[in-house]
C-alpha cells in the first residue's frame, strides 16, 4: 500500500459529508434574509445531524430527530413563517438598533475560540471496548424509564404546560 | 473519529447559532438560531455517549428535543401575538420593556 | 408649696394658652393670662406675713436636677425678693389687663398672652431660684420670651430685626454669664447662691457681663431702643419693670459673693450709662425711644446703688421705677392708640385736653421720673444719692442724671400733652377705654403712694429702713428737679425747637452705628464662613452622594434599553467571560 494513502473508515466519510452539509446549511440558515429560507436550511442541517446520530450509534435518536425535530418542529416553524408572511413585515438582516455593530459576531467568535481551545486541550478519553448492546431500543428504554424516570415525568408535564400556554397565547383576542 | 472532531463541530454550530441570535432582527430567525444551538448541544451529547460507552447522553438529547418542542410551541405563539400587536416581527420594535 | 405656686401659676397659664389659646377669644385668653399672674401675686402675698414675722427665708425644694451640688429645682424666698416678686406680679397683671384693650383686633393675641405668662414665670424664677443654674434657666427663658414678644407683629421686618438684635446681644452676656457659672462650679464647688463664697475678679466680671447685657447697660445697651418695635405693653413690661431689672436682681442676690472691686466697676458703669443715656433721651423725637433711653438711664442708677452695696436703695428704685416707667409706657401706649400710632412727639400735642385721664397717669409717671414728691421716684433717687455720699464723683453723676432726667421728662410732657396739637391725628384723639385706663390709673396711684409709704417706714422692704439721708441732699435734689422741669417747660411750651445741636446725642453717640460697622459685619462674615465651611461642605457631600447615586443608576439604566438583542449579547458575553475565567484557572 502507498504510505500516503490514508484509510477512510465509513464513519470518517460520513462525518466529513454530513458534517460538512450541516455546517454549511447552518451558516446559511443564520445568514439568510428570508426566514423561510433560513427555516428550510435549518431543516437540511437537522437532517444532516440525524445522519450523524446514526453513525454515532444512536439509531433511535436518528428517528426521533427526523420525526420530531425536522418533522414537527420545523414544520410548525415554517407554518408560522408563512402565516406571518402577510403580517410579519420584513425586518432587515442585521438590525439597526441598538447599534451593536460587530459585537455579536465578535462574541460568538470568542465563544468558539474558547470552546475550541477547551476541546483541544482536553485529555483524550480511551474509546470503550464493550460492544454496544444488541437491542438498542431496549437498552435505551432501560436507561430512560429507570434512571431518568423523574425527568421523563416532568417532561410530560412540561409538554402539557406548553400545549396549554401556546393555545392561550395564540388565541385571537376579541377586542 | 475522535470525540474532539464531533465536539468541534458542535462548538461551531453553537457559535453560529449564538451569532445568529444576536445578529438577526427577525423573531423567527432568532428562534431558528436558538434551535441550531440546541442541536449543537445534542450532537455533543450523543458523541460523548458513544465515547463513554453509556446511553445517558442519548437520553439527555431526547429530553432536549422534547423541551425544544415545547419551547418552539410557546415561542411561536408569543411571536404570533407580538406580530399581531406590532404588525411586525422586528424584535427591535418591541422595546417597551425598558428600564 | 405656695412658693412653687408663684412660679407654677403663670407657667401653667403659658402652657394652657399655648395649647388651647387658639380656641379662645381675646378677652378669655387675656383674662386667663392675667388671672394666672394674679394667682402668683396672691401666693406671694400669702407668704408675706410669715416672712415679715420671722425674717429669714422660705424654702421650697421641689426635685433633684443635675448631679452638680446645689443644682436642683429648689426655690427660696426672702423679704428682699418678696418685694421684687410682688412688684413683678402686680405690674405684669395690670399690663396683661391693659393688653386686652391695646391688642384688640390683633390676630395673634393668644400667642402674645402665652409668651407673656411664660415671661412672667421665667422672671419669677430668676427671683426665687435657689441656685445659679436654675436662675440661668429663667434668664434664658426671659431672653426667649423677649424675642417672641418684641417680634410679635410678624409682618414687620423692623420688629423681627429688633428681636434678633435683642436676642443676639443678650446672647453675648449670657455666654459670659454661663462661663462665670462654670467658674463658680469649679471654684466654689456648688451653685447654690446661699452657699457661694467670695468669687474671683474674673468670675465676677463674667457674671457682671451677663447683667450688663440683660439690663442694657453700656456697652451692651444698643438693643433696647430698637426693642421699641414691639407692642407698647411689651415695652412696658419687659423694658421697664422686669427683664431689664433682671441684671439688678442678679447683682442684688449676688452682692455678697461678687468681688467688691467688680461691684464698684458696675457702679461706675451704671453712673456713666445713666448720664449718657439721659442726654440721649433728651434728644429723641420718638415717644417710645425717649422712654427706652430713660430706662437705660434709670437702670444705670440701680446698678450704681447695687454696686456700692446700697441694696435697699437699689431695690427701692427698682420697684419705684417699675411703677412710674410702666405708667409712662402705658400712657404712651394709650397716646399711640388714641392717635393711630402717631409716635413723633413733634407732631403730637394737646393730649391733655383730648385724653385727660391718660394725661394724668402719664404725668404721674413723669413726676416719678423727674423725682418730684410725692412720687416714689423722689424717695428712691434720694436713697441712691445718699448711698453715694462718700464717693463724690458718683454723687455728681447721679445728681446730674437726675437733673437731665427731670428736664427731658418735662420736655416730653410739654410737647405731647401741654402744647397745641400739631397734626390731624393728634387733634382727633380720644380717650381709650376702661380696660386700658384702669391699669394706668392703678400704676399711677401706686407711684404716688408707694414712695410715701416706704419713706414713712410703713412698708419694710427687708433690707433696712431708709438710710438717714442728710436733709440738704433732699433739698438739693428737689431744687435741681424743679429747676430742670421749669427749664424744660419754658423751652418747649411753644412747641418743638431746633435740636440739631443734639444730633450726636440723638444717635446714641454713635455707639450703635459703630457696632454696625465693626462687630456686626465681623459676625456676619464669621457666620458666612461657617456656613460655607460646615453647611456648604455638608451640602456638597450630600449632593455628591446623591449625584453619584443618580449617575450610577443612569449608567446602569442603559443596560435596560428594552432591546432584546442587547440583552442577548450581554448574556452571551457574560457566558463567554465566565468560560474564559474557568479555562484560565
Amino acid at each position: 500500500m502507498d504510505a500516503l494513502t490514508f484509510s477512510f473508515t465509513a464513519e470518517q466519510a460520513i462525518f466529513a459529508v454530513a458534517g460538512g452539509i450541516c455546517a454549511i446549511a447552518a451558516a446559511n440558515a443564520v445568514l439568510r434574509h428570508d426566514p423561510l429560507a433560513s427555516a428550510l436550511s435549518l431543516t437540511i442541517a437537522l437532517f444532516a445531524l440525524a445522519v450523524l446520530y446514526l453513525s454515532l450509534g444512536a439509531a433511535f435518536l436518528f428517528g426521533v430527530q427526523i420525526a420530531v425535530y425536522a418533522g414537527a418542529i420545523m414544520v410548525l416553524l415554517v407554518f408560522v413563517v408563512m402565516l406571518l408572511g402577510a403580517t410579519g413585515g420584513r425586518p432587515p438582516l442585521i438590525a439597526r438598533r441598538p447599534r451593536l455593530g460587530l459585537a455579536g459576531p465578535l462574541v460568538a467568535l470568542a465563544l468558539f475560540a474558547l470552546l475550541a481551545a477547551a476541546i483541544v486541550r482536553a485529555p483524550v478519553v480511551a474509546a470503550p471496548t464493550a460492544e454496544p448492546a444488541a437491542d438498542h431500543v431496549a437498552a435505551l428504554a432501560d436507561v430512560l424509564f429507570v434512571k431518568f424516570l423523574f425527568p421523563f415525568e416532568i417532561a410530560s408535564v412540561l409538554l402539557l404546560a406548553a400545549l396549554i400556554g401556546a393555545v392561550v397565547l395564540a388565541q385571537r383576542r376579541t377586542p | 473519529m475522535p470525540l474532539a472532531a464531533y465536539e468541534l463541530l458542535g462548538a461551531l454550530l453553537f457559535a453560529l447559532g449564538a451569532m445568529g441570535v444576536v445578529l438577526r432582527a427577525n423573531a423567527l430567525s432568532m428562534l431558528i438560531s436558538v434551535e441550531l444551538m440546541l442541536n449543537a448541544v445534542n450532537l455533543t451529547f450523543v458523541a460523548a455517549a458513544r465515547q463513554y460507552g453509556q446511553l445517558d447522553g442519548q437520553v439527555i438529547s431526547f429530553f432536549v428535543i422534547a423541551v425544544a418542542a415545547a419551547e418552539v410551541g410557546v415561542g411561536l405563539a408569543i411571536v404570533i401575538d407580538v406580530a399581531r400587536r406590532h404588525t411586525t416581527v422586528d424584535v427591535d420594535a418591541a422595546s417597551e420593556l425598558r428600564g | 408649696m405656695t412658693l412653687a405656686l408663684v412660679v407654677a401659676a403663670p407657667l401653667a397659664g403659658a402652657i394652657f394658652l399655648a395649647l388651647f389659646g387658639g380656641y379662645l377669644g381675646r378677652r378669655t385668653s387675656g383674662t386667663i393670662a392675667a388671672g394666672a399672674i394674679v394667682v402668683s401675686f396672691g401666693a406671694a402675698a400669702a407668704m408675706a406675713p410669715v416672712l415679715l414675722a420671722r425674717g429669714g427665708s422660705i424654702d421650697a425644694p421641689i426635685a433633684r436636677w443635675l448631679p452638680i451640688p446645689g443644682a436642683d429645682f429648689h426655690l427660696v424666698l426672702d423679704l428682699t425678693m418678696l418685694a421684687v416678686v410682688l412688684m413683678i406680679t402686680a405690674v405684669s397683671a395690670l399690663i396683661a389687663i391693659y393688653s386686652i384693650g391695646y391688642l384688640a383686633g390683633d390676630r395673634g393675641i393668644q400667642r402674645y398672652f402665652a409668651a407673656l405668662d411664660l415671661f412672667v414665670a421665667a422672671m419669677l424664677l430668676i427671683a426665687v431660684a435657689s441656685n445659679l443654674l436654675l436662675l440661668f434657666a429663667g434668664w434664658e427663658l426671659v431672653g426667649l420670651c423677649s424675642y417672641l414678644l418684641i417680634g410679635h407683629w410678624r409682618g414687620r421686618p423692623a420688629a423681627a430685626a429688633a428681636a434678633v438684635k435683642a436676642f443676639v446681644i443678650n446672647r453675648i452676656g449670657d455666654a459670659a454669664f454661663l462661663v462665670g457659672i462654670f467658674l463658680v462650679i469649679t471654684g466654689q464647688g456648688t451653685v447654690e447662691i446661699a452657699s457661694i463664697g467670695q468669687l474671683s475678679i474674673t468670675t465676677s466680671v463674667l457674671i457682671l457681663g451677663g447683667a450688663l447685657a440683660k439690663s442694657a447697660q453700656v456697652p451692651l445697651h444698643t438693643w433696647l431702643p430698637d426693642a421699641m418695635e414691639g407692642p407698647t405693653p411689651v415695652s412696658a413690661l419687659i423694658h421697664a419693670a422686669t427683664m431689664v431689672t433682671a441684671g439688678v436682681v442678679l447683682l442684688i442676690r449676688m452682692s455678697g459673693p461678687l468681688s467688691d472691686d467688680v461691684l464698684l466697676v458696675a457702679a461706675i458703669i451704671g453712673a456713666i450709662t445713666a448720664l449718657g443715656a439721659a442726654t440721649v433721651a433728651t434728644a429723641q423725637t420718638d415717644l417710645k425711644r425717649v422712654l427706652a433711653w430713660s430706662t437705660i438711664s434709670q437702670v444705670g442708677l440701680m446698678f450704681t446703688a447695687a454696686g456700692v452695696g446700697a441694696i435697699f436703695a437699689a431695690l427701692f428704685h427698682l420697684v419705684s421705677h417699675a411703677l412710674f416707667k410702666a405708667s409712662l409706657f402705658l400712657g404712651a401706649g394709650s397716646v399711640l392708640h388714641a392717635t393711630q400710632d402717631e409716635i413723633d412727639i413733634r407732631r403730637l400735642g394737646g393730649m391733655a385736653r383730648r385724653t385727660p385721664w391718660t394725661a394724668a397717669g402719664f404725668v404721674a409717671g413723669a413726676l416719678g421720673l423727674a423725682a418730684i414728691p410725692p412720687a416714689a421716684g423722689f424717695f428712691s433717687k434720694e436713697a441712691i444719692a445718699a448711698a453715694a455720699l462718700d464717693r463724690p464723683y458718683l454723687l455728681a453723676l447721679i445728681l446730674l442724671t437726675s437733673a437731665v432726667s427731670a428736664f427731658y421728662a418735662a420736655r416730653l410732657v410739654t410737647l405731647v400733652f401741654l402744647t397745641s396739637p400739631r397734626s390731624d391725628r393728634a387733634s382727633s384723639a380720644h380717650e381709650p377705654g376702661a380696660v386700658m385706663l384702669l391699669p394706668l390709673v392703678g400704676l399711677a396711684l401706686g407711684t404716688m403712694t408707694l414712695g410715701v409709704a416706704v419713706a414713712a417706714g410703713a412698708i419694710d422692704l427687708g433690707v433696712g429702713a431708709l438710710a438717714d439721708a442728710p436733709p440738704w441732699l433732699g433739698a438739693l435734689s428737689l431744687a435741681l428737679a424743679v429747676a430742670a422741669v421749669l427749664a424744660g417747660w419754658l423751652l418747649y411750651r411753644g412747641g418743638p425747637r431746633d435740636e440739631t445741636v443734639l444730633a450726636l446725642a440723638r444717635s446714641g453717640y454713635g455707639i450703635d452705628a459703630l457696632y454696625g460697622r465693626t462687630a456686626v459685619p465681623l459676625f456676619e462674615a464669621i457666620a458666612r464662613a461657617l456656613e460655607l465651611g460646615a453647611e456648604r461642605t455638608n451640602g456638597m457631600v450630600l449632593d455628591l452622594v446623591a449625584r453619584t447615586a443618580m449617575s450610577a443608576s443612569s449608567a446602569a439604566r442603559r443596560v435596560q434599553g428594552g432591546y432584546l438583542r442587547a440583552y442577548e449579547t450581554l448574556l452571551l458575553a457574560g457566558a463567554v467571560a465566565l468560560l474564559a475565567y474557568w479555562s484560565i484557572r
Side-chain angles (χ1 to χ4, degrees):
Chain A
M1 274 276 150
D2 200 352
L4 285 175
T5 53
F6 27 138
S7 55
F8 287 99
T9 61
E11 190 190 336
Q12 285 175 331
I14 293 175
F15 179 77
V17 174
I21 294 176
C22 184
I24 295 172
N28 191 46
V30 166
L31 292 173
R32 279 299 213 122
H33 260 283
D34 183 10
L36 189 58
S38 292
L40 294 175
S41 283
L42 183 65
T43 313
I44 295 174
L46 294 179
F47 272 108
L49 275 174
V51 170
L52 281 175
Y53 293 159
L54 188 59
S55 87
L56 280 171
F60 182 70
L61 219 50
F62 159 80
V64 168
Q65 174 89 341
I66 292 178
V68 174
Y69 227 128
I73 294 176
M74 290 318 295
V75 166
L76 191 59
L77 237 153
V78 169
F79 176 75
V80 172
V81 168
M82 292 189 154
L83 176 69
L84 295 180
T87 63
R90 293 194 60 98
L93 170 67
I94 299 168
R96 304 284 154 67
R97 289 168 297 144
R99 276 182 296 278
L100 292 171
L102 282 175
L106 278 175
V107 174
L109 187 66
L111 182 63
F112 178 69
L114 269 171
L115 291 171
I119 292 168
V120 164
R121 278 193 288 161
V124 179
V125 181
T129 48
E131 275 286 322
D135 190 351
H136 173 66
V137 175
L140 197 65
D142 202 22
V143 177
L144 177 62
F145 295 118
V146 174
K147 192 169 177 188
F148 287 87
L149 178 61
F150 189 63
F152 180 79
E153 299 298 333
I154 298 297
S156 39
V157 173
L158 176 69
L159 287 169
L160 181 63
L163 176 68
I164 297 174
V167 168
V168 167
L169 278 171
Q171 271 180 347
R172 198 178 279 275
R173 312 272 162 84
T174 42
Chain B
M1 240 1 298
L3 178 62
Y6 289 100
E7 282 180 340
L8 273 172
L9 179 61
L12 177 66
L13 293 175
F14 191 79
L16 276 173
M19 185 175 81
V21 163
V22 175
L23 212 55
R24 302 299 301 270
N26 189 315
L28 293 162
S29 303
M30 288 174 81
L31 212 50
I32 288 169
S33 305
V34 172
E35 294 309 309
L36 183 58
M37 288 167 83
L38 286 172
N39 275 281
V41 168
N42 271 356
L43 176 65
T44 312
F45 270 123
V46 172
R50 201 276 299 269
Q51 186 72 9
Y52 289 93
Q54 291 175 316
L55 288 175
D56 293 27
Q58 296 186 15
V59 173
I60 290 174
S61 292
F62 180 73
F63 280 120
V64 169
I65 294 177
V67 172
E71 169 233 336
V72 166
V74 175
L76 286 175
I78 291 175
V79 168
I80 291 177
D81 196 40
V82 168
R84 281 212 204 105
R85 286 178 198 279
H86 296 264
T87 69
T88 179
V89 290
D90 181 350
V91 293
D92 290 334
S95 61
E96 284 154 34
L97 210 65
R98 57 190 322 145
Chain C
M1 194 55 235
T2 331
L3 181 52
L5 188 59
V6 169
V7 176
L11 183 62
I15 296 176
F16 180 80
L17 286 171
L19 290 173
F20 304 113
Y23 304 111
L24 304 169
R26 165 176 64 106
R27 263 182 256 266
T28 320
S29 44
T31 314
I32 292 177
I37 304 175
V38 169
V39 167
S40 195
F41 178 87
M47 291 187 283
V50 175
L51 280 175
L52 284 170
R54 67 165 172 83
S57 59
I58 295 181
D59 234 6
I62 299 176
R64 296 199 58 80
W65 188 22
L66 299 170
I68 299 173
D72 296 323
F73 285 116
H74 186 160
L75 306 178
V76 65
L77 181 66
D78 58 11
L79 267 179
T80 316
M81 287 300 123
L82 176 67
V84 173
V85 167
L86 288 172
M87 178 276 287
I88 294 174
T89 48
V91 173
S92 306
L94 288 173
I95 292 177
I97 296 172
Y98 180 91
S99 305
I100 300 178
Y102 189 83
L103 288 175
D106 186 321
R107 238 162 341 163
I109 197 169
Q110 300 90 345
R111 137 174 86 84
Y112 169 89
F113 280 120
L116 193 80
D117 261 4
L118 184 61
F119 177 89
V120 174
M123 190 68 210
L124 290 171
L125 191 59
I126 294 178
V128 299
S130 77
N131 60 80
L132 283 176
L133 281 172
L134 192 58
L135 189 149
F136 190 73
W139 193 267
E140 290 286 285
L141 265 180
V142 159
L144 170 68
C145 293
S146 163
Y147 170 82
L148 290 174
L149 288 167
I150 295 175
H152 173 78
W153 285 321
R154 290 184 176 160
R156 289 175 58 160
V164 170
K165 186 172 181 175
F167 193 81
V168 169
I169 295 182
N170 268 277
R171 253 287 153 260
I172 300 174
D174 295 348
F177 191 8
L178 194 59
V179 175
I181 294 180
F182 292 154
L183 286 178
V184 168
I185 295 176
T186 52
Q188 298 285 322
T190 176
V191 287
E192 190 168 354
I193 297 179
S195 318
I196 298 178
Q198 270 296 297
L199 295 173
S200 69
I201 291 188
T202 318
T203 318
S204 304
V205 165
L206 287 169
I207 295 182
L208 177 65
L212 288 179
K214 197 66 84 182
S215 293
Q217 299 296 292
V218 171
L220 297 170
H221 64 285
T222 49
W223 62 271
L224 189 50
D226 283 11
M228 296 297 113
E229 294 288 337
T232 308
V234 167
S235 308
L237 180 63
I238 296 184
H239 310 123
T242 44
M243 176 164 150
V244 293
T245 55
V248 183
V249 169
L250 183 65
L251 285 184
I252 291 178
R253 297 192 71 188
M254 295 287 286
S255 58
L258 284 173
S259 138
D260 288 334
D261 295 329
V262 174
L263 280 173
L264 185 60
V265 168
I268 297 174
I269 292 179
I272 296 177
T273 306
L275 182 58
T279 57
V280 175
T282 326
Q284 296 301 311
T285 53
D286 179 317
L287 173 60
K288 286 174 69 174
R289 287 200 180 218
V290 174
L291 298 178
W293 286 101
S294 166
T295 303
I296 297 177
S297 170
Q298 298 295 309
V299 171
L301 289 178
M302 294 179 219
F303 264 60
T304 309
V308 296
I311 304 298
F312 171 77
L315 197 60
F316 189 10
H317 197 58
L318 192 146
V319 175
S320 101
H321 170 264
L323 290 173
F324 72 68
K325 192 47 68 62
S327 305
L328 285 169
F329 264 114
L330 291 193
S334 298
V335 167
L336 289 176
H337 195 89
T339 61
Q340 288 145 319
D341 295 328
E342 180 55 78
I343 204 163
D344 191 329
I345 58 179
R346 294 170 298 189
R347 285 204 287 272
L348 286 168
M351 298 304 294
R353 192 164 304 139
R354 304 211 61 85
T355 58
W357 285 99
T358 304
F362 193 90
V363 167
L367 284 176
L369 179 56
I372 293 181
F378 170 72
F379 298 100
S380 59
K381 221 171 276 189
E382 203 193 321
I384 298 180
L389 274 175
D390 53 345
R391 289 183 173 85
Y393 58 95
L394 281 180
L395 182 62
L397 285 171
I398 293 171
L399 289 175
L400 268 172
T401 307
S402 306
V404 177
S405 305
F407 178 76
Y408 70 70
R411 168 179 178 266
L412 195 59
V413 170
T414 309
L415 281 177
V416 174
F417 291 95
L418 298 180
T419 51
S420 37
R422 291 178 288 281
S423 68
D424 294 327
R425 283 196 272 180
S427 32
S428 60
H430 56 276
E431 193 84 72
V435 77
M436 285 171 66
L437 269 184
L438 287 175
L440 174 58
V441 169
L443 286 168
L445 279 173
T447 306
M448 292 317 228
T449 55
L450 179 70
V452 180
V454 171
I459 297 182
D460 185 1
L461 285 180
V463 274
L466 186 66
D468 289 84
W472 62 265
L473 186 61
L476 177 61
S477 315
L478 188 57
L480 275 172
V482 170
V485 167
L486 267 173
W489 179 66
L490 284 170
L491 277 173
Y492 286 98
R493 68 177 168 157
R497 299 171 63 88
D498 176 27
E499 288 170 340
T500 46
V501 67
L502 296 172
L504 184 62
R506 187 172 306 125
S507 71
Y509 299 106
I511 297 182
D512 192 30
L514 180 68
Y515 289 162
R517 278 200 310 273
T518 54
V520 171
L522 176 66
F523 279 120
E524 281 183 355
I526 294 177
R528 242 183 312 222
L530 284 175
E531 191 226 357
L532 202 68
E535 292 197 27
R536 272 292 185 92
T537 312
N538 193 31
M540 279 196 311
V541 168
L542 289 178
D543 206 38
L544 193 67
V545 169
R547 236 163 332 135
T548 313
M550 287 214 314
S551 50
S553 60
S554 304
R557 270 175 83 221
R558 268 182 266 148
V559 175
Q560 291 250 316
Y563 291 118
L564 188 59
R565 292 174 36 261
Y567 297 161
E568 293 162 0
T569 316
L570 278 174
L571 212 65
L572 204 57
V576 169
L578 218 57
L579 271 174
Y581 173 66
W582 278 327
S583 45
I584 289 175
R585 269 189 9 129

